[in-house]
C-alpha cells in the first residue's frame, strides 16, 4: 500500500525547503504571510480573474449602503490603483463598520495563470476630521509616517508584486527567494518576515509542512518541551511512544511519535500523530524553522503503525533546502 502511494512523487517547494510527496497529493492551504501582507493564491483563467475584479469592485461600491457603514466614512473605496500591463488592481478600501482612519489595501494580481489576493491594513489620520484624534497619537509618540501608513505600505506592496511570480505545483525556482502556495517571491536586499504553510489530506491522514522565520532560536526545542507534552498526553487518550533525533540532508531535526485509541462517532479509532521540528535550535531570519506534522485523528486509517512510520520516513527523508536557499 505504501509503495503504491509513493509510486509517483513530486517535489514541493515550501519557503526555502523542499519535500517529496505522492503525486496525487495537492496542497489545500493557499494562504501565507509576508511581512504585514496576507497572500492568497489560486489557479484561474484570465476571464475568471477579470470577472472577479469587476464583481469585487461592485461589492465594494455597494458596501457603503450596508447597515453599519456610516455615510461620513464614505466613499467606501478611497482609491482604485490600476496596475501596469493589465496585471490587476489595488483597492484602498474601508473596513466594514469602522471609521475610515483604519483601511485595507487589497491587491488583485494575475501572474502566470495564478490569481493572488494581497491585503494589509493601514492607518491614515491625514483627513482633517481626525485632527483631534491625531493629537492622541502624537502624544503617544507616533511619527507622521506612522500616522499615515499608506505611502510606505503601498511602496512595499508594489515591491512585493514586482518580485512575485506564479508557478506550477511542482515547479522548483532556482533563484534566491521563498516559495509560497502557487507562487514564488524573489529575494531582495531586505530581510522579511515569512510564514508559509502547506496542507495535504486523504482518507487516511493529514500531512502539513510549515515554515516560519519569525520564531528564532532561543534555547527551547521540541525535546526540551517533550516532558511537558508527555504530561499533557497523560490526561488524554494519546501517549508518547518514541523520540527521534536525526540530521536530514544537513538539517538537524527532532521528532515525537504519539499514538492512542480515539473515541469518535461511536467508534474507537487507532490514531497516530507524528511531529517534527527542523533547525529549531539554530533558527535565524534566513535559516527558517520548519515543522512537519502527520496525523490520523478523526480518520479510520487503513495503515498499520509500521506503514504510517514508513510514510513518515519517506517524507521526512526528502526534506532538503531548495536551490539558492541562502
Amino acid at each position: 500500500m505504501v509503495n503504491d502511494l509513493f509510486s509517483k512523487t513530486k517535489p514541493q517547494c515550501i519557503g526555502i525547503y523542499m519535500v517529496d510527496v505522492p503525486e496525487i497529493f495537492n496542497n489545500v492551504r493557499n494562504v501565507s504571510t509576508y511581512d504585514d501582507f496576507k497572500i492568497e493564491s489560486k489557479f484561474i483563467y484570465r476571464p475568471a480573474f477579470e470577472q472577479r475584479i469587476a464583481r469585487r469592485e461592485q461589492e465594494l461600491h455597494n458596501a457603503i449602503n450596508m447597515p453599519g457603514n456610516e455615510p461620513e466614512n464614505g466613499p467606501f473605496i478611497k482609491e482604485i490603483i490600476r496596475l501596469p500591463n493589465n496585471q490587476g488592481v489595488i483597492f484602498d478600501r474601508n473596513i466594514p463598520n469602522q471609521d475610515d482612519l483604519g483601511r485595507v489595501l487589497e491587491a488583485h494580481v494575475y501572474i502566470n495563470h495564478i490569481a493572488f489576493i494581497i491585503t494589509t491594513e493601514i492607518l491614515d489620520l491625514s483627513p482633517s476630521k481626525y485632527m483631534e484624534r491625531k493629537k492622541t497619537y502624537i502624544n503617544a509618540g507616533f511619527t507622521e509616517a506612522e500616522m499615515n501608513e499608506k505611502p510606505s505600505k503601498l511602496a512595499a506592496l508594489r515591491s512585493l508584486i514586482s518580485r512575485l511570480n506564479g508557478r506550477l505545483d511542482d515547479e522548483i525556482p532556482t533563484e534566491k527567494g521563498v516559495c509560497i502556495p502557487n507562487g514564488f517571491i524573489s529575494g531582495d536586499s531586505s530581510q522579511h518576515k515569512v510564514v508559509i504553510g502547506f496542507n495535504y489530506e486523504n482518507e487516511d491522514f493529514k500531512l502539513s509542512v510549515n515554515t516560519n522565520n519569525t520564531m528564532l532560536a532561543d534555547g527551547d526545542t521540541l525535546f526540551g518541551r517533550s516532558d511537558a507534552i508527555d504530561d499533557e498526553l497523560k490526561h488524554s487518550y494519546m501517549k508518547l511512544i518514541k523520540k527521534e533525533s536525526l540530521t536530514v540532508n544537513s538539517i538537524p531535526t527532532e521528532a515525537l511519535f504519539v499514538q492512542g485509541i480515539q473515541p469518535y462517532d461511536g467508534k474507537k479509532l487507532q490514531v497516530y500523530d507524528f511531529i517534527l521540528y527542523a533547525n529549531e535550535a539554530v533558527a535565524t531570519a534566513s535559516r527558517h524553522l520548519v515543522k512537519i506534522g502527520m496525523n490520523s485523528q478523526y480518520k479510520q486509517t487503513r495503515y498499520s503503525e509500521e506503514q504510517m512510520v514508513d510514510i513518515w520516513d519517506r517524507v521526512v527523508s526528502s526534506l532538503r533546502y531548495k536551490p539558492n536557499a541562502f
Side-chain angles (χ1 to χ4, degrees), residues 4 18 20 25 54 78 82 98 102 113 141 143 164 178 184 188 190 208 217 224 226 236 253-254 265 287 319 324:
D4 287 345
M18 293 172 57
D20 295 331
F25 279 18
K78 293 295 185 284
R82 307 290 176 184
Q98 293 188 25
H113 303 292
T143 65
L164 181 62
V178 293
F184 179 73
D188 62 4
S190 301
S208 63
S226 63
S236 73
T253 73
E254 293 181 347
D265 196 23
R287 192 176 298 275
L319 178 66
N324 285 315

Side-chain angles (χ1 to χ4, degrees), residues 103-294:
R103 302 198 304 277
V104 171
L105 295 179
E106 177 183 314
H108 293 259
V109 187
Y110 192 76
I111 309 173
N112 290 352
H113 303 292
I114 304 298
F116 297 94
I117 301 176
I118 310 171
T119 55
T120 188
E121 293 190 3
I122 62 172
L123 175 68
D124 181 7
L125 291 162
S126 60
S128 58
K129 65 179 179 179
Y130 291 122
M131 187 175 298
E132 289 302 314
R133 200 178 302 192
K134 186 174 180 180
K135 292 177 182 177
T136 304
Y137 283 80
I138 292 173
N139 292 335
F142 279 65
T143 65
E144 285 294 331
E146 291 170 333
M147 290 184 289
N148 181 6
E149 296 179 307
K150 181 175 178 177
S152 60
K153 289 282 187 78
L154 187 56
L157 177 56
R158 288 185 180 276
S159 172
L160 171 57
I161 292 171
S162 73
R163 293 180 288 112
L164 181 62
N165 211 343
R167 67 182 180 90
L168 298 175
D169 177 59
D170 59 354
E171 182 180 346
I172 309 300
T174 57
E175 61 183 293
K176 188 172 181 179
V178 293
C179 295
I180 63 173
N182 305 306
F184 179 73
I185 305 173
S186 300
D188 62 4
S189 58
S190 301
Q191 192 67 252
H192 300 277
K193 296 178 180 179
V194 188
V195 180
I196 301 163
F198 280 54
N199 290 351
Y200 310 89
E201 183 173 359
N202 62 13
E203 294 179 350
D204 297 285
F205 60 86
K206 298 177 182 178
L207 173 68
S208 63
V209 185
N210 300 279
T211 76
N212 188 327
N213 77 338
T214 69
M215 300 177 66
L216 308 182
D218 60 2
D220 186 24
T221 66
L222 180 62
F223 281 6
R225 301 186 296 275
S226 63
D227 287 344
I229 294 172
D230 201 13
D231 287 340
E232 284 188 30
L233 292 173
K234 290 176 183 177
H235 302 289
S236 73
Y237 55 86
M238 305 288 282
K239 65 178 180 179
L240 181 63
I241 59 172
K242 185 180 178 183
K243 298 162 72 172
E244 184 174 68
S245 176
L246 295 172
T247 298
V248 181
N249 297 315
S250 302
I251 303 171
T253 73
E254 293 181 347
L256 300 180
F257 297 75
V258 176
Q259 73 172 23
I261 303 296
Q262 177 188 43
Y264 176 67
D265 196 23
K267 304 175 184 177
K268 291 186 177 181
L269 305 180
Q270 176 65 59
V271 175
Y272 305 98
D273 196 348
F274 305 155
I275 184 171
L276 174 145
Y277 280 78
N279 275 335
E280 186 173 21
V282 295
T284 65
S286 58
R287 192 176 298 275
H288 305 182
L289 169 71
V290 59
K291 175 184 175 184
I292 302 177
M294 188 178 83

